[in-house]
Amino acid sequence: MSTTTVPEPHVLAVDDSIVDRAVISRLLRSSKYRVTTVDSGKRALEILSLDRNVHMIITDYCMPEMTGFDLLKRVKESAELKEIPVVLMSSENSPTRIRRCLEEGAEDFLIKPVRPSDVSRLCSRVMK
Amino acid sequence: MNQHRRLAVRPLRGHIRLCINKTDSSSCPFRHQLPPTQTAPTSHAIPPPIDSIPPTSAPMAATALRDQLTALLSSMFSQGLVDEQFQQLQMLQDEGGTPGFVSEVVTLFCDDADRIINEIAAELEQPVVNFDKVDAYVHQLKGSSASVGAQKVKFTCMQFRQFCQDKSREGCLMALAVVRNDFYDLRNKFQTMLQLEQQIQAYDPKQQ
């Protein structure tokens, strides 16, 4: 009898903070996801152009040059990428910002610091 | 390679509990990467080298060190230096079987915070201060502080941002002094924590 190994879902985590990248990466790996971390929206788009096997993008909102919102828009405007769920994170609990992101197609908006329970809830819902 | 024990302190029902977990010595970058202490010595004395302690006294020394570590971490929480997020990181390490995770994150934070504080200081020395730039740096520091559970530094950054928004150089300089002091205090305690952990591991390598 043969067994099939299900590959781990792949999450692309985007954050200009090296500390936050380490934390979110650990949180996602503890939920059994394969994680790629990058430090900018520009770099995220480069990764996405090379690897279409990304099941979710989780990105910080406030980043220099390309914000998480800009990245969200670029993903949702792309025919190849628009189906990938995008989650935004921010330390600022701004209802205007949150509404703006959800209206643009974000799956969720997490307030930092992100907790293990946030990631568990998110992944079980979004990855389905 | 020697097995050594990582210590995680986890609050339980409002009390600090010491939990012993196994790790391997290669996953402990923190002790090699922290810069030397830059302020006056802390009140937490560093224990003597292990080879100066008679072998028969090793268990007692290890117990004393554990008590010291417990007291240190307890004081860090009670003084508001760290908060629940720091506990979350410890739990992530313990439950996820990732030894050295807390060390790694704390080291990254200390390096990053040091860099940001220096950037802020340089910006505030300019003839014309770019307060938006200073605010952006403070925002970064606030964010990384929150992520590691550095509560006191985080709160100081929140006050600092107000001075940035008021475009007050004097206020910013005062806030910078407070942030720097709070950060150095925390870094000293993190450094002591790691040194205690190393000493405990050296005294009690049989703990699994």
Side-chain angles (χ1 to χ4, degrees), chain B residues 109-144:
Chain B
F109 165 72
C110 287
D111 289 347
D112 198 44
D114 204 33
R115 174 189 65 81
I116 291 172
I117 287 171
N118 289 334
E119 297 275 12
I120 292 172
E123 191 56 45
L124 289 175
E125 286 175 5
Q126 300 301 312
V128 179
V129 176
N130 184 337
F131 287 101
D132 288 341
K133 196 171 176 183
V134 175
D135 185 59
Y137 279 129
V138 178
H139 175 73
Q140 277 184 45
L141 181 58
K142 179 173 95 75
S144 58

PDB file of all heavy atoms in Angstrom, chain B residues 109-144:
ATOM      1  N   PHE B 109      16.684  41.406  18.636  1.00  0.00           N
ATOM      2  CA  PHE B 109      16.083  42.629  19.168  1.00  0.00           C
ATOM      3  C   PHE B 109      17.153  43.577  19.708  1.00  0.00           C
ATOM      4  O   PHE B 109      17.127  44.780  19.414  1.00  0.00           O
ATOM      5  CB  PHE B 109      15.078  42.283  20.281  1.00  0.00           C
ATOM      6  CG  PHE B 109      14.688  43.483  21.117  1.00  0.00           C
ATOM      7  CD1 PHE B 109      13.874  44.473  20.587  1.00  0.00           C
ATOM      8  CD2 PHE B 109      15.154  43.632  22.413  1.00  0.00           C
ATOM      9  CE1 PHE B 109      13.531  45.588  21.341  1.00  0.00           C
ATOM     10  CE2 PHE B 109      14.816  44.739  23.170  1.00  0.00           C
ATOM     11  CZ  PHE B 109      14.002  45.722  22.638  1.00  0.00           C
ATOM     12  N   CYS B 110      18.069  43.049  20.469  1.00  0.00           N
ATOM     13  CA  CYS B 110      19.096  43.904  21.076  1.00  0.00           C
ATOM     14  C   CYS B 110      19.961  44.570  19.998  1.00  0.00           C
ATOM     15  O   CYS B 110      20.257  45.769  20.074  1.00  0.00           O
ATOM     16  CB  CYS B 110      19.965  43.103  22.040  1.00  0.00           C
ATOM     17  SG  CYS B 110      19.116  42.683  23.583  1.00  0.00           S
ATOM     18  N   ASP B 111      20.343  43.815  18.992  1.00  0.00           N
ATOM     19  CA  ASP B 111      21.138  44.387  17.900  1.00  0.00           C
ATOM     20  C   ASP B 111      20.341  45.453  17.153  1.00  0.00           C
ATOM     21  O   ASP B 111      20.846  46.534  16.834  1.00  0.00           O
ATOM     22  CB  ASP B 111      21.560  43.287  16.916  1.00  0.00           C
ATOM     23  CG  ASP B 111      22.607  42.362  17.500  1.00  0.00           C
ATOM     24  OD1 ASP B 111      23.192  42.691  18.556  1.00  0.00           O
ATOM     25  OD2 ASP B 111      22.830  41.281  16.910  1.00  0.00           O
ATOM     26  N   ASP B 112      19.084  45.127  16.877  1.00  0.00           N
ATOM     27  CA  ASP B 112      18.233  46.031  16.107  1.00  0.00           C
ATOM     28  C   ASP B 112      17.949  47.309  16.888  1.00  0.00           C
ATOM     29  O   ASP B 112      18.005  48.416  16.345  1.00  0.00           O
ATOM     30  CB  ASP B 112      16.926  45.307  15.758  1.00  0.00           C
ATOM     31  CG  ASP B 112      16.188  45.968  14.616  1.00  0.00           C
ATOM     32  OD1 ASP B 112      16.834  46.340  13.624  1.00  0.00           O
ATOM     33  OD2 ASP B 112      14.960  46.114  14.718  1.00  0.00           O
ATOM     34  N   ALA B 113      17.651  47.151  18.164  1.00  0.00           N
ATOM     35  CA  ALA B 113      17.345  48.314  19.003  1.00  0.00           C
ATOM     36  C   ALA B 113      18.558  49.228  19.141  1.00  0.00           C
ATOM     37  O   ALA B 113      18.439  50.454  19.095  1.00  0.00           O
ATOM     38  CB  ALA B 113      16.865  47.852  20.379  1.00  0.00           C
ATOM     39  N   ASP B 114      19.712  48.625  19.287  1.00  0.00           N
ATOM     40  CA  ASP B 114      20.948  49.404  19.392  1.00  0.00           C
ATOM     41  C   ASP B 114      21.157  50.236  18.126  1.00  0.00           C
ATOM     42  O   ASP B 114      21.488  51.433  18.193  1.00  0.00           O
ATOM     43  CB  ASP B 114      22.117  48.440  19.599  1.00  0.00           C
ATOM     44  CG  ASP B 114      23.297  49.111  20.270  1.00  0.00           C
ATOM     45  OD1 ASP B 114      23.071  50.014  21.106  1.00  0.00           O
ATOM     46  OD2 ASP B 114      24.445  48.732  19.964  1.00  0.00           O
ATOM     47  N   ARG B 115      20.930  49.617  16.997  1.00  0.00           N
ATOM     48  CA  ARG B 115      21.090  50.310  15.719  1.00  0.00           C
ATOM     49  C   ARG B 115      20.107  51.466  15.611  1.00  0.00           C
ATOM     50  O   ARG B 115      20.472  52.590  15.249  1.00  0.00           O
ATOM     51  CB  ARG B 115      20.854  49.324  14.565  1.00  0.00           C
ATOM     52  CG  ARG B 115      20.852  49.980  13.185  1.00  0.00           C
ATOM     53  CD  ARG B 115      20.396  48.974  12.111  1.00  0.00           C
ATOM     54  NE  ARG B 115      19.027  48.541  12.273  1.00  0.00           N
ATOM     55  CZ  ARG B 115      17.951  49.230  11.870  1.00  0.00           C
ATOM     56  NH1 ARG B 115      18.090  50.398  11.279  1.00  0.00           N
ATOM     57  NH2 ARG B 115      16.746  48.738  12.061  1.00  0.00           N
ATOM     58  N   ILE B 116      18.856  51.192  15.941  1.00  0.00           N
ATOM     59  CA  ILE B 116      17.813  52.219  15.810  1.00  0.00           C
ATOM     60  C   ILE B 116      18.098  53.392  16.734  1.00  0.00           C
ATOM     61  O   ILE B 116      17.970  54.561  16.344  1.00  0.00           O
ATOM     62  CB  ILE B 116      16.428  51.612  16.110  1.00  0.00           C
ATOM     63  CG1 ILE B 116      16.027  50.627  14.998  1.00  0.00           C
ATOM     64  CG2 ILE B 116      15.379  52.709  16.243  1.00  0.00           C
ATOM     65  CD1 ILE B 116      14.768  49.830  15.299  1.00  0.00           C
ATOM     66  N   ILE B 117      18.489  53.113  17.965  1.00  0.00           N
ATOM     67  CA  ILE B 117      18.769  54.189  18.922  1.00  0.00           C
ATOM     68  C   ILE B 117      19.905  55.069  18.407  1.00  0.00           C
ATOM     69  O   ILE B 117      19.859  56.305  18.519  1.00  0.00           O
ATOM     70  CB  ILE B 117      19.074  53.595  20.319  1.00  0.00           C
ATOM     71  CG1 ILE B 117      17.769  53.076  20.947  1.00  0.00           C
ATOM     72  CG2 ILE B 117      19.736  54.627  21.230  1.00  0.00           C
ATOM     73  CD1 ILE B 117      17.956  52.290  22.225  1.00  0.00           C
ATOM     74  N   ASN B 118      20.909  54.446  17.826  1.00  0.00           N
ATOM     75  CA  ASN B 118      22.021  55.225  17.267  1.00  0.00           C
ATOM     76  C   ASN B 118      21.561  56.073  16.081  1.00  0.00           C
ATOM     77  O   ASN B 118      22.007  57.212  15.904  1.00  0.00           O
ATOM     78  CB  ASN B 118      23.162  54.298  16.859  1.00  0.00           C
ATOM     79  CG  ASN B 118      23.884  53.709  18.061  1.00  0.00           C
ATOM     80  OD1 ASN B 118      23.898  54.296  19.132  1.00  0.00           O
ATOM     81  ND2 ASN B 118      24.481  52.543  17.888  1.00  0.00           N
ATOM     82  N   GLU B 119      20.668  55.517  15.280  1.00  0.00           N
ATOM     83  CA  GLU B 119      20.146  56.275  14.134  1.00  0.00           C
ATOM     84  C   GLU B 119      19.353  57.493  14.624  1.00  0.00           C
ATOM     85  O   GLU B 119      19.459  58.586  14.062  1.00  0.00           O
ATOM     86  CB  GLU B 119      19.225  55.379  13.284  1.00  0.00           C
ATOM     87  CG  GLU B 119      19.898  54.175  12.657  1.00  0.00           C
ATOM     88  CD  GLU B 119      20.582  54.503  11.328  1.00  0.00           C
ATOM     89  OE1 GLU B 119      20.732  55.695  11.000  1.00  0.00           O
ATOM     90  OE2 GLU B 119      20.976  53.554  10.636  1.00  0.00           O
ATOM     91  N   ILE B 120      18.552  57.277  15.645  1.00  0.00           N
ATOM     92  CA  ILE B 120      17.754  58.372  16.201  1.00  0.00           C
ATOM     93  C   ILE B 120      18.672  59.462  16.748  1.00  0.00           C
ATOM     94  O   ILE B 120      18.468  60.659  16.507  1.00  0.00           O
ATOM     95  CB  ILE B 120      16.814  57.856  17.314  1.00  0.00           C
ATOM     96  CG1 ILE B 120      15.739  56.948  16.725  1.00  0.00           C
ATOM     97  CG2 ILE B 120      16.179  59.024  18.062  1.00  0.00           C
ATOM     98  CD1 ILE B 120      14.888  56.232  17.771  1.00  0.00           C
ATOM     99  N   ALA B 121      19.694  59.048  17.489  1.00  0.00           N
ATOM    100  CA  ALA B 121      20.631  60.016  18.068  1.00  0.00           C
ATOM    101  C   ALA B 121      21.302  60.836  16.978  1.00  0.00           C
ATOM    102  O   ALA B 121      21.440  62.070  17.093  1.00  0.00           O
ATOM    103  CB  ALA B 121      21.676  59.282  18.906  1.00  0.00           C
ATOM    104  N   ALA B 122      21.704  60.172  15.907  1.00  0.00           N
ATOM    105  CA  ALA B 122      22.364  60.882  14.802  1.00  0.00           C
ATOM    106  C   ALA B 122      21.403  61.873  14.160  1.00  0.00           C
ATOM    107  O   ALA B 122      21.792  63.000  13.818  1.00  0.00           O
ATOM    108  CB  ALA B 122      22.866  59.870  13.772  1.00  0.00           C
ATOM    109  N   GLU B 123      20.165  61.471  13.999  1.00  0.00           N
ATOM    110  CA  GLU B 123      19.178  62.348  13.370  1.00  0.00           C
ATOM    111  C   GLU B 123      18.897  63.573  14.234  1.00  0.00           C
ATOM    112  O   GLU B 123      18.754  64.689  13.718  1.00  0.00           O
ATOM    113  CB  GLU B 123      17.892  61.558  13.124  1.00  0.00           C
ATOM    114  CG  GLU B 123      16.868  62.248  12.246  1.00  0.00           C
ATOM    115  CD  GLU B 123      17.417  62.657  10.894  1.00  0.00           C
ATOM    116  OE1 GLU B 123      18.123  61.838  10.256  1.00  0.00           O
ATOM    117  OE2 GLU B 123      17.143  63.809  10.481  1.00  0.00           O
ATOM    118  N   LEU B 124      18.856  63.376  15.545  1.00  0.00           N
ATOM    119  CA  LEU B 124      18.568  64.491  16.447  1.00  0.00           C
ATOM    120  C   LEU B 124      19.743  65.460  16.558  1.00  0.00           C
ATOM    121  O   LEU B 124      19.583  66.563  17.086  1.00  0.00           O
ATOM    122  CB  LEU B 124      18.174  63.965  17.825  1.00  0.00           C
ATOM    123  CG  LEU B 124      16.792  63.296  17.907  1.00  0.00           C
ATOM    124  CD1 LEU B 124      16.558  62.690  19.288  1.00  0.00           C
ATOM    125  CD2 LEU B 124      15.677  64.284  17.572  1.00  0.00           C
ATOM    126  N   GLU B 125      20.904  65.051  16.081  1.00  0.00           N
ATOM    127  CA  GLU B 125      22.062  65.955  16.092  1.00  0.00           C
ATOM    128  C   GLU B 125      22.109  66.850  14.862  1.00  0.00           C
ATOM    129  O   GLU B 125      22.936  67.769  14.801  1.00  0.00           O
ATOM    130  CB  GLU B 125      23.355  65.131  16.169  1.00  0.00           C
ATOM    131  CG  GLU B 125      23.607  64.525  17.543  1.00  0.00           C
ATOM    132  CD  GLU B 125      24.826  63.611  17.556  1.00  0.00           C
ATOM    133  OE1 GLU B 125      25.523  63.531  16.514  1.00  0.00           O
ATOM    134  OE2 GLU B 125      25.075  62.977  18.587  1.00  0.00           O
ATOM    135  N   GLN B 126      21.273  66.579  13.891  1.00  0.00           N
ATOM    136  CA  GLN B 126      21.278  67.366  12.659  1.00  0.00           C
ATOM    137  C   GLN B 126      20.816  68.798  12.938  1.00  0.00           C
ATOM    138  O   GLN B 126      19.971  69.014  13.818  1.00  0.00           O
ATOM    139  CB  GLN B 126      20.363  66.721  11.618  1.00  0.00           C
ATOM    140  CG  GLN B 126      20.765  65.307  11.222  1.00  0.00           C
ATOM    141  CD  GLN B 126      22.167  65.265  10.656  1.00  0.00           C
ATOM    142  OE1 GLN B 126      22.524  66.058   9.791  1.00  0.00           O
ATOM    143  NE2 GLN B 126      22.975  64.343  11.166  1.00  0.00           N
ATOM    144  N   PRO B 127      21.325  69.740  12.192  1.00  0.00           N
ATOM    145  CA  PRO B 127      20.885  71.142  12.381  1.00  0.00           C
ATOM    146  C   PRO B 127      19.377  71.291  12.208  1.00  0.00           C
ATOM    147  O   PRO B 127      18.730  72.041  12.941  1.00  0.00           O
ATOM    148  CB  PRO B 127      21.650  71.909  11.301  1.00  0.00           C
ATOM    149  CG  PRO B 127      22.794  71.031  10.924  1.00  0.00           C
ATOM    150  CD  PRO B 127      22.371  69.610  11.165  1.00  0.00           C
ATOM    151  N   VAL B 128      18.855  70.566  11.208  1.00  0.00           N
ATOM    152  CA  VAL B 128      17.402  70.549  11.004  1.00  0.00           C
ATOM    153  C   VAL B 128      16.931  69.107  11.169  1.00  0.00           C
ATOM    154  O   VAL B 128      17.318  68.225  10.397  1.00  0.00           O
ATOM    155  CB  VAL B 128      17.027  71.061   9.593  1.00  0.00           C
ATOM    156  CG1 VAL B 128      15.518  71.002   9.402  1.00  0.00           C
ATOM    157  CG2 VAL B 128      17.543  72.483   9.396  1.00  0.00           C
ATOM    158  N   VAL B 129      16.129  68.887  12.182  1.00  0.00           N
ATOM    159  CA  VAL B 129      15.704  67.516  12.490  1.00  0.00           C
ATOM    160  C   VAL B 129      14.528  67.106  11.613  1.00  0.00           C
ATOM    161  O   VAL B 129      13.544  67.843  11.485  1.00  0.00           O
ATOM    162  CB  VAL B 129      15.289  67.406  13.976  1.00  0.00           C
ATOM    163  CG1 VAL B 129      14.745  66.012  14.267  1.00  0.00           C
ATOM    164  CG2 VAL B 129      16.474  67.728  14.876  1.00  0.00           C
ATOM    165  N   ASN B 130      14.653  65.940  11.002  1.00  0.00           N
ATOM    166  CA  ASN B 130      13.544  65.377  10.242  1.00  0.00           C
ATOM    167  C   ASN B 130      12.714  64.542  11.216  1.00  0.00           C
ATOM    168  O   ASN B 130      13.006  63.357  11.461  1.00  0.00           O
ATOM    169  CB  ASN B 130      14.090  64.495   9.101  1.00  0.00           C
ATOM    170  CG  ASN B 130      12.991  63.959   8.220  1.00  0.00           C
ATOM    171  OD1 ASN B 130      11.831  63.863   8.640  1.00  0.00           O
ATOM    172  ND2 ASN B 130      13.337  63.599   7.002  1.00  0.00           N
ATOM    173  N   PHE B 131      11.686  65.167  11.781  1.00  0.00           N
ATOM    174  CA  PHE B 131      10.914  64.497  12.825  1.00  0.00           C
ATOM    175  C   PHE B 131      10.125  63.306  12.276  1.00  0.00           C
ATOM    176  O   PHE B 131       9.845  62.354  13.015  1.00  0.00           O
ATOM    177  CB  PHE B 131       9.985  65.491  13.534  1.00  0.00           C
ATOM    178  CG  PHE B 131      10.717  66.434  14.439  1.00  0.00           C
ATOM    179  CD1 PHE B 131      10.990  67.741  14.033  1.00  0.00           C
ATOM    180  CD2 PHE B 131      11.148  66.026  15.693  1.00  0.00           C
ATOM    181  CE1 PHE B 131      11.683  68.615  14.868  1.00  0.00           C
ATOM    182  CE2 PHE B 131      11.835  66.903  16.530  1.00  0.00           C
ATOM    183  CZ  PHE B 131      12.107  68.191  16.118  1.00  0.00           C
ATOM    184  N   ASP B 132       9.769  63.347  11.008  1.00  0.00           N
ATOM    185  CA  ASP B 132       9.074  62.191  10.417  1.00  0.00           C
ATOM    186  C   ASP B 132       9.995  60.979  10.400  1.00  0.00           C
ATOM    187  O   ASP B 132       9.572  59.844  10.640  1.00  0.00           O
ATOM    188  CB  ASP B 132       8.622  62.517   8.991  1.00  0.00           C
ATOM    189  CG  ASP B 132       7.462  63.501   8.987  1.00  0.00           C
ATOM    190  OD1 ASP B 132       6.783  63.649  10.028  1.00  0.00           O
ATOM    191  OD2 ASP B 132       7.239  64.137   7.932  1.00  0.00           O
ATOM    192  N   LYS B 133      11.261  61.245  10.116  1.00  0.00           N
ATOM    193  CA  LYS B 133      12.233  60.153  10.080  1.00  0.00           C
ATOM    194  C   LYS B 133      12.467  59.595  11.496  1.00  0.00           C
ATOM    195  O   LYS B 133      12.524  58.386  11.697  1.00  0.00           O
ATOM    196  CB  LYS B 133      13.547  60.683   9.499  1.00  0.00           C
ATOM    197  CG  LYS B 133      14.522  59.633   9.042  1.00  0.00           C
ATOM    198  CD  LYS B 133      15.675  60.303   8.294  1.00  0.00           C
ATOM    199  CE  LYS B 133      16.713  59.286   7.899  1.00  0.00           C
ATOM    200  NZ  LYS B 133      17.880  59.945   7.231  1.00  0.00           N
ATOM    201  N   VAL B 134      12.567  60.510  12.447  1.00  0.00           N
ATOM    202  CA  VAL B 134      12.752  60.075  13.845  1.00  0.00           C
ATOM    203  C   VAL B 134      11.544  59.253  14.277  1.00  0.00           C
ATOM    204  O   VAL B 134      11.678  58.192  14.896  1.00  0.00           O
ATOM    205  CB  VAL B 134      12.938  61.291  14.778  1.00  0.00           C
ATOM    206  CG1 VAL B 134      12.997  60.841  16.238  1.00  0.00           C
ATOM    207  CG2 VAL B 134      14.218  62.041  14.435  1.00  0.00           C
ATOM    208  N   ASP B 135      10.361  59.749  13.916  1.00  0.00           N
ATOM    209  CA  ASP B 135       9.133  59.046  14.288  1.00  0.00           C
ATOM    210  C   ASP B 135       9.094  57.652  13.680  1.00  0.00           C
ATOM    211  O   ASP B 135       8.653  56.686  14.317  1.00  0.00           O
ATOM    212  CB  ASP B 135       7.911  59.845  13.820  1.00  0.00           C
ATOM    213  CG  ASP B 135       6.611  59.220  14.284  1.00  0.00           C
ATOM    214  OD1 ASP B 135       6.420  59.076  15.502  1.00  0.00           O
ATOM    215  OD2 ASP B 135       5.787  58.851  13.427  1.00  0.00           O
ATOM    216  N   ALA B 136       9.558  57.538  12.447  1.00  0.00           N
ATOM    217  CA  ALA B 136       9.588  56.232  11.787  1.00  0.00           C
ATOM    218  C   ALA B 136      10.515  55.266  12.525  1.00  0.00           C
ATOM    219  O   ALA B 136      10.203  54.087  12.697  1.00  0.00           O
ATOM    220  CB  ALA B 136      10.030  56.390  10.328  1.00  0.00           C
ATOM    221  N   TYR B 137      11.652  55.776  12.958  1.00  0.00           N
ATOM    222  CA  TYR B 137      12.585  54.934  13.722  1.00  0.00           C
ATOM    223  C   TYR B 137      11.958  54.503  15.050  1.00  0.00           C
ATOM    224  O   TYR B 137      12.076  53.344  15.459  1.00  0.00           O
ATOM    225  CB  TYR B 137      13.883  55.696  14.015  1.00  0.00           C
ATOM    226  CG  TYR B 137      14.868  55.723  12.869  1.00  0.00           C
ATOM    227  CD1 TYR B 137      15.416  56.938  12.426  1.00  0.00           C
ATOM    228  CD2 TYR B 137      15.284  54.553  12.239  1.00  0.00           C
ATOM    229  CE1 TYR B 137      16.332  56.972  11.390  1.00  0.00           C
ATOM    230  CE2 TYR B 137      16.196  54.578  11.199  1.00  0.00           C
ATOM    231  CZ  TYR B 137      16.712  55.797  10.782  1.00  0.00           C
ATOM    232  OH  TYR B 137      17.626  55.828   9.748  1.00  0.00           O
ATOM    233  N   VAL B 138      11.329  55.457  15.728  1.00  0.00           N
ATOM    234  CA  VAL B 138      10.723  55.129  17.021  1.00  0.00           C
ATOM    235  C   VAL B 138       9.613  54.106  16.822  1.00  0.00           C
ATOM    236  O   VAL B 138       9.434  53.187  17.628  1.00  0.00           O
ATOM    237  CB  VAL B 138      10.189  56.401  17.724  1.00  0.00           C
ATOM    238  CG1 VAL B 138       9.517  56.036  19.040  1.00  0.00           C
ATOM    239  CG2 VAL B 138      11.314  57.381  17.977  1.00  0.00           C
ATOM    240  N   HIS B 139       8.871  54.266  15.735  1.00  0.00           N
ATOM    241  CA  HIS B 139       7.812  53.301  15.411  1.00  0.00           C
ATOM    242  C   HIS B 139       8.398  51.896  15.225  1.00  0.00           C
ATOM    243  O   HIS B 139       7.839  50.909  15.710  1.00  0.00           O
ATOM    244  CB  HIS B 139       7.091  53.753  14.138  1.00  0.00           C
ATOM    245  CG  HIS B 139       6.060  52.787  13.644  1.00  0.00           C
ATOM    246  ND1 HIS B 139       4.849  52.601  14.263  1.00  0.00           N
ATOM    247  CD2 HIS B 139       6.065  51.940  12.580  1.00  0.00           C
ATOM    248  CE1 HIS B 139       4.152  51.683  13.609  1.00  0.00           C
ATOM    249  NE2 HIS B 139       4.865  51.271  12.579  1.00  0.00           N
ATOM    250  N   GLN B 140       9.532  51.833  14.549  1.00  0.00           N
ATOM    251  CA  GLN B 140      10.210  50.535  14.363  1.00  0.00           C
ATOM    252  C   GLN B 140      10.591  49.938  15.708  1.00  0.00           C
ATOM    253  O   GLN B 140      10.389  48.737  15.954  1.00  0.00           O
ATOM    254  CB  GLN B 140      11.511  50.728  13.572  1.00  0.00           C
ATOM    255  CG  GLN B 140      11.390  50.798  12.083  1.00  0.00           C
ATOM    256  CD  GLN B 140      12.779  50.899  11.442  1.00  0.00           C
ATOM    257  OE1 GLN B 140      13.699  50.175  11.813  1.00  0.00           O
ATOM    258  NE2 GLN B 140      12.923  51.801  10.508  1.00  0.00           N
ATOM    259  N   LEU B 141      11.169  50.766  16.552  1.00  0.00           N
ATOM    260  CA  LEU B 141      11.636  50.271  17.854  1.00  0.00           C
ATOM    261  C   LEU B 141      10.452  49.831  18.708  1.00  0.00           C
ATOM    262  O   LEU B 141      10.513  48.810  19.384  1.00  0.00           O
ATOM    263  CB  LEU B 141      12.435  51.368  18.570  1.00  0.00           C
ATOM    264  CG  LEU B 141      13.002  50.996  19.940  1.00  0.00           C
ATOM    265  CD1 LEU B 141      13.910  49.776  19.843  1.00  0.00           C
ATOM    266  CD2 LEU B 141      13.779  52.179  20.547  1.00  0.00           C
ATOM    267  N   LYS B 142       9.382  50.583  18.622  1.00  0.00           N
ATOM    268  CA  LYS B 142       8.169  50.215  19.366  1.00  0.00           C
ATOM    269  C   LYS B 142       7.657  48.864  18.895  1.00  0.00           C
ATOM    270  O   LYS B 142       7.273  48.011  19.693  1.00  0.00           O
ATOM    271  CB  LYS B 142       7.098  51.285  19.195  1.00  0.00           C
ATOM    272  CG  LYS B 142       5.787  50.973  19.919  1.00  0.00           C
ATOM    273  CD  LYS B 142       4.825  52.147  19.860  1.00  0.00           C
ATOM    274  CE  LYS B 142       3.859  52.063  18.779  1.00  0.00           C
ATOM    275  NZ  LYS B 142       2.735  51.239  18.727  1.00  0.00           N
ATOM    276  N   GLY B 143       7.673  48.668  17.596  1.00  0.00           N
ATOM    277  CA  GLY B 143       7.179  47.416  17.026  1.00  0.00           C
ATOM    278  C   GLY B 143       8.008  46.211  17.455  1.00  0.00           C
ATOM    279  O   GLY B 143       7.462  45.189  17.890  1.00  0.00           O
ATOM    280  N   SER B 144       9.305  46.335  17.350  1.00  0.00           N
ATOM    281  CA  SER B 144      10.139  45.183  17.719  1.00  0.00           C
ATOM    282  C   SER B 144      10.117  44.951  19.229  1.00  0.00           C
ATOM    283  O   SER B 144      10.178  43.811  19.682  1.00  0.00           O
ATOM    284  CB  SER B 144      11.577  45.348  17.213  1.00  0.00           C
ATOM    285  OG  SER B 144      12.158  46.526  17.710  1.00  0.00           O
TER     286      SER B 144
END
